[in-house]
Amino acid sequence: MNLAIMMNGLPGAMGREIASAAIRREGVTLAPFALTGAGMGGEVEVDGVTVRLYEPSEKEECARLAKEAYPEAGSLVCIDFTHPTAVNGNAEWYGANRLPFVMGTTGGDRDALFGVTRESGTYAVIAPNMAKQIVALQAALEQMASDFGGSFEGYALSVVESHQSTKADTSGTAKAVSTSLAKLTNEPDFTADDYAQIQRVRDTDEQLAGGGSSHRGCSPVPEAFLGGHAFHTYALTSADGNVEFQFRHNVCGRSTYAEGSVDAAVFLAKRVGAAAEQRVYDMVDVLKMGGI
Ligand SMILES: NC(=O)C1=CN([C@@H]2O[C@H](COP(=O)(O)OP(=O)(O)OC[C@H]3O[C@@H](n4cnc5c(N)ncnc54)[C@H](OP(=O)(O)O)[C@@H]3O)[C@@H](O)[C@H]2O)C=CC1
Ligand SMILES: O=C(O)C1=N[C@H](C(=O)O)C[C@H](O)C1
């Protein structure tokens, strides 16, 4: 393996975490250039590697550099952990420049994201969660929904997610898992409007108190992780309130997503190298096909 990763979204929290994971991984290097947000251009250093950052207005210059420095197919994979408002523009840019990419950024217009990527013929892994254990849970719930759809008919679904107060959007993981759980309650037409029912906890006092009185069901967040955590609680409750099922995943810190993102990039480089017919993947594909 001789793979370079362009870490788009530096110097953000996930960008730094993934860049470090890439540098640690054997056979992987960090490309010395990447995309950043407006007004954030310049240079950043990660574990001794200097990365030149290109603002949105300088994207074409960055694409030119990428093609010059890594002309061989599959020798460069982009990883995108930027901002919900950047998702669609960045996907168009990857497609137009035929740059394989891992899209970890949540939000944006997801249908358009998949549409543009498929049309471009670019190789991509797109997933709202890169943590292997959460991906396995997602796959299991999807399987359960397909085998026993409607087995929770009449049950009410409630979802609470708590993240660092700087998070811009409702959790993409919570949206994806809710869609699977809705199939169990026989509401397969769960739509974007239904995502509004997901309760977001962003207030630090509520987080320390476990959601507070308005968001019961969320676990208390340790103070050290107020700046970086992802706590999700999904509950299915019978109509008479006598039966309740809960699924809960609480992650402190970000390292688990970082390792999964590098796994996804390595997986994608191999798919490009093999000129695989399937071009667009999710993390369930990566898990099932032995990428992690
Ligand atoms: N799939 C997964 O497993 C996970 C997904 N995420 C998702 O990753 C995303 C980023 O999270 P996080 O790192 O915490 O956020 P941060 O805000 O810490 O970092 C985002 C970075 O992206 C930069 N940015 C903004 N716009 C652009 C752009 N157009 N092009 C390139 N860079 C840009 C920001 O710059 P500026 O500060 O100037 O805006 C910032 O440096 C979120 O959508 C989050 O939900 C997070 C964790 C796990
Ligand atoms: O912003 C985050 O931090 C996270 N975002 C992803 C999401 O929106 O689901 C994954 C995880 O929850 C962390």
Side-chain angles (χ1 to χ4, degrees):
M1 175 63 50
N2 190 7
L3 169 67
I5 285 176
M6 188 201 295
M7 185 56 243
N8 296 332
L10 279 169
M14 279 304 303
R16 282 187 176 277
E17 195 86 41
I18 297 168
S20 287
I23 291 167
R24 284 195 302 270
R25 187 71 61 97
E26 210 183 320
V28 176
T29 55
L30 185 64
F33 45 81
L35 300 180
T36 192
M40 299 296 289
E43 284 184 354
V44 66
E45 203 198 293
V46 184
D47 300 344
V49 179
T50 302
V51 180
R52 166 83 211 272
L53 300 176
Y54 289 82
E55 298 186 27
S57 59
E58 302 168 317
K59 267 170 146 177
E60 292 323 312
E61 168 70 0
C62 188
R64 194 185 55 73
L65 267 181
K67 282 175 207 161
E68 255 175 40
Y70 303 100
E72 203 183 311
S75 59
L76 178 74
V77 170
C78 302
I79 300 185
D80 192 298
F81 279 72
T82 57
H83 192 272
T85 54
V87 164
N88 296 104
N90 284 359
E92 280 166 24
W93 183 77
Y94 299 129
N97 292 292
R98 284 297 188 112
L99 291 168
F101 69 97
V102 174
M103 178 61 77
T105 315
T106 51
D109 180 334
R110 304 306 280 186
D111 290 339
L113 164 63
F114 280 95
V116 159
T117 307
R118 286 210 175 90
E119 235 168 73
S120 70
T122 314
Y123 285 87
V125 175
I126 302 174
N129 206 301
M130 305 290 172
K132 174 158 77 170
Q133 298 76 14
I134 295 172
V135 175
L137 175 70
Q138 281 184 274
L141 290 175
E142 246 322 278
Q143 187 64 47
M144 187 172 162
S146 117
D147 290 349
F148 308 112
S151 54
F152 284 75
E153 188 159 6
Y155 278 58
L157 171 63
S158 75
V159 184
V160 188
E161 55 93 342
S162 174
H163 286 77
Q164 58 280 356
S165 53
T166 49
K167 181 168 173 62
D169 58 338
T170 297
S171 162
T173 311
K175 291 177 182 173
V177 173
S178 303
T179 304
S180 299
L181 292 174
K183 290 181 195 156
L184 286 168
T185 63
N186 228 357
E187 282 182 47
D189 295 332
F190 203 77
T191 64
D193 287 343
D194 298 297
Y195 295 145
Q197 295 162 22
I198 297 170
Q199 299 174 64
R200 295 160 49 144
V201 187
R202 298 288 182 272
D203 179 84
T204 51
D205 288 336
E206 288 193 353
Q207 292 173 337
L208 290 168
S213 56
S214 51
H215 301 294
R216 265 191 295 271
C218 192
S219 306
V221 178
E223 191 167 2
F225 292 101
L226 287 175
H229 69 276
F231 281 23
H232 293 77
T233 302
Y234 309 88
L236 287 166
T237 311
S238 64
D240 60 9
N242 287 342
V243 184
E244 185 190 38
F245 281 73
Q246 278 197 8
F247 303 91
R248 195 179 285 245
H249 47 89
N250 295 339
V251 176
C252 287
R254 298 179 169 93
S255 58
T256 182
Y257 314 115
E259 295 299 335
S261 302
V262 177
D263 292 334
V266 170
F267 166 87
L268 204 56
K270 288 182 183 159
R271 304 312 290 166
V272 176
E277 202 174 314
Q278 181 181 347
R279 295 190 175 212
V280 182
Y281 302 87
D282 60 21
M283 280 305 278
V284 176
D285 295 319
V286 179
L287 198 60
K288 282 188 175 161
M289 295 165 93
I292 46 183

